[in-house]
Amino acid sequence: MSSYKVRKAVIPAAGLGTRFLPITKTIPKELLPIIDRPLIEFTINEARDAGIEEICLVSGRGKDAIIDYFDPCENLQRHLKEKKKYDLAQTVRESGLSEGQLCAVRQLQPLGLGHAIWCARSFIESEPFAVLLPDDLILGEKGCLTELLEVYNEYGGNVLAVKGVQKSQVNKYGIVEYSEREGSIYKATNLIEKPSPQETHSSLAIIGRYVLNASVMKHLGLKKTGSGGEIQLTDAMKLMLKEEEFRGFSFSGRHFDCGCKSEYLLAQIEAGLKDPSMKPAIQDYINHC
Ligand code: G1P
């Protein structure tokens, strides 16, 4: 059982969003909407619902609008209240963050996910922490990070969100090889970043949620490059495996890779179908396609 409360989370948001050009010329991909809320708000809400108190956003040039989004916008709230638009004023208030909850560091060069996490080392100090990748939207009754923290609180070590993928798709993910499975929990024996299908017998993929010990920073600080010539988080975790336990947890929610246009669209449809005011029109459209 772990005695540490996980209070901090790192959210990497420095990517250039090339798969969504041209919109990402001026809008960070993390601010692309799922109906009326940006992807990053889902990520931050998942973290807050899991009890995370402080968040560090790893951003880059042209991404300041993400920070602006989480301002409480007091003038706007006042204006909406004067116009008696109380529901909207509350929506604006709820989507803001309070003082000190959000800080940001810059990743000065696009050297990979591992490097982005390493940029948050001063924020993390020596505490265990969560990592959430905003591209991976997970919708469900219970937040994915809440589920991972339940596993972490029971077993300690490090915990990764996982899902089974097609064997032909393993080269798109970090892959967990495992020895034992207990329900939804897999005990990892090896972690490989984007292997070819021939390089691994496993097709259990890491989906962007992690609970990690701060010791990962020591390995990331070595700045060794791996897949794609980048500093990979999976490679640092593989080094940790020699001394620490890793468990994969097959979460209950539905995962959408919003870095992929078609899945981003499906996420919008899923969110629309969950909203009673939109569901009939969407269903009617689908039925007549
Ligand atoms: C990153 C990680 C990979 C993980 C994936 C989940 O890859 O490096 O291990 O499986 O996120 O989305 P990326 O999608 O940034 O290439």
Side-chain angles (χ1 to χ4, degrees), residues 113 133 136 173-174 193-194 206-208 210 232 234:
L113 175 61
L133 309 189
D136 286 312
Y173 298 94
E193 180 67 8
K194 304 196 173 88
I206 302 171
I207 302 303
Y210 309 72
Q232 297 292 353
T234 307

Side-chain angles (χ1 to χ4, degrees), residues 44-52 143 146:
I44 288 208
N45 286 347
E46 184 184 323
R48 291 203 287 188
D49 289 348
I52 296 295
T146 299

